[in-house]
Amino acid sequence: MTSIKHDSKTLSKGSVWRKWDLHVHTPASALEHSLGDSWDIYIERLIETVKKHNIVAIATADYFTIDGYKRLVGYYDQANHTLSVNGKTAQLYLIPGVELRLNIFNSNEESINLHILFDPNCCSSDFITQNFLEELTIAYRSTPNLPLKQQNLLAIGKSIAENNSANFGQDFSGIDEAIKADYIKKALGTITLSYSTIDDALKA
């Protein structure tokens, strides 16, 4: 066990309340947002915000994806818990999280959302994708039990963009990456899943 030294001033304060924000969207979010597409600018604003409000920990909350957290890690020094860009720095504990949209609705016909948080010391973004997200099955229109795989997301997104039926066997290899990203974003903003599939994925 590691011993930690405290001075008398710290000890006299008793418990210390620290601010955490466990619902932080990134530019990878499928929501319509004003976060922009520049990750450098987004990180700068994030650093300014957490310092202004004395926030010491955040968790990402993008719908059905951990890609935003994966991009944040590129600006993050895990050893020192420091987020940095363009000379701006903030000490911050970064937690990987995803927001899931259930096929359960409240009295206003709004989907109930569920946040799943992961231990950053045990779960890399690739581990979360392969061992949790891709174990989920989603529903789109009348098609249930679709694995949450890129191929299915592309098919759903294309069907939304073109307002036609989804072709889940289509070859998307020759499509521009920006169009693919748009398809996936459209899909992530629409799909839902049942609570039971989350339970199954967590047991997998």
Side-chain angles (χ1 to χ4, degrees):
M1 180 178 290
T2 303
S3 62
I4 302 174
K5 295 181 179 179
H6 299 278
D7 58 34
S8 58
K9 183 177 180 181
T10 301
L11 288 173
S12 66
K13 291 171 67 175
S15 297
V16 176
W17 290 94
R18 301 188 186 278
K19 293 181 182 178
W20 291 33
D21 188 341
L22 303 181
H23 190 164
V24 175
H25 286 282
T26 78
S29 176
L31 291 173
E32 292 297 326
H33 55 68
S34 58
L35 301 175
D37 296 319
S38 170
W39 278 87
D40 280 10
I41 293 174
Y42 168 77
I43 299 295
E44 284 188 21
R45 291 176 178 170
L46 182 60
I47 289 171
E48 291 168 359
T49 300
V50 298
K51 292 176 81 169
K52 177 181 178 180
H53 297 284
N54 298 315
I55 296 170
V56 299
I58 65 169
T60 55
D62 296 327
Y63 282 108
F64 295 94
T65 180
I66 203 69
D67 288 352
Y69 171 79
K70 192 172 184 177
R71 291 293 297 269
L72 280 173
V73 168
Y75 295 84
Y76 189 63
D77 183 341
Q78 181 76 36
N80 297 312
H81 302 296
T82 302
L83 190 66
S84 303
V85 67
N86 299 332
K88 297 184 178 182
T89 302
Q91 277 207 305
L92 191 66
Y93 191 68
L94 182 58
I95 302 168
V98 294
E99 186 168 2
L100 305 176
R101 187 185 303 105
L102 303 180
N103 58 359
I104 304 169
F105 301 88
N106 63 19
S107 58
N108 295 320
E109 296 300 316
E110 297 168 329
S111 176
I112 302 298
N113 293 343
L114 183 66
H115 292 250
I116 308 289
L117 306 181
F118 301 87
D119 184 344
N121 296 315
C122 301
C123 303
S124 69
S125 55
D126 288 342
F127 177 88
I128 294 167
T129 298
Q130 296 165 12
N131 294 280
F132 177 69
L133 291 174
E134 291 185 351
E135 295 293 329
L136 296 173
T137 56
I138 57 176
Y140 175 65
R141 293 181 178 172
S142 59
T143 308
N145 302 320
L146 289 165
L148 185 63
K149 305 278 188 180
Q150 185 181 69
Q151 173 71 21
N152 290 333
L153 293 175
L154 288 168
I156 291 169
K158 186 173 187 291
S159 76
I160 294 169
E162 299 180 357
N163 194 26
N164 56 25
S165 299
N167 178 3
F168 295 103
Q170 181 174 343
D171 180 8
F172 291 97
S173 59
I175 294 179
D176 183 81
E177 291 301 318
I179 295 175
K180 285 185 180 181
D182 182 61
Y183 285 168
I184 289 174
K185 202 165 200 176
K186 282 181 168 60
L188 293 177
T190 304
I191 57 176
T192 62
L193 74 170
S194 67
Y195 183 82
S196 61
T197 192
I198 300 172
D199 192 44
D200 290 343
L202 289 171
K203 291 175 181 176

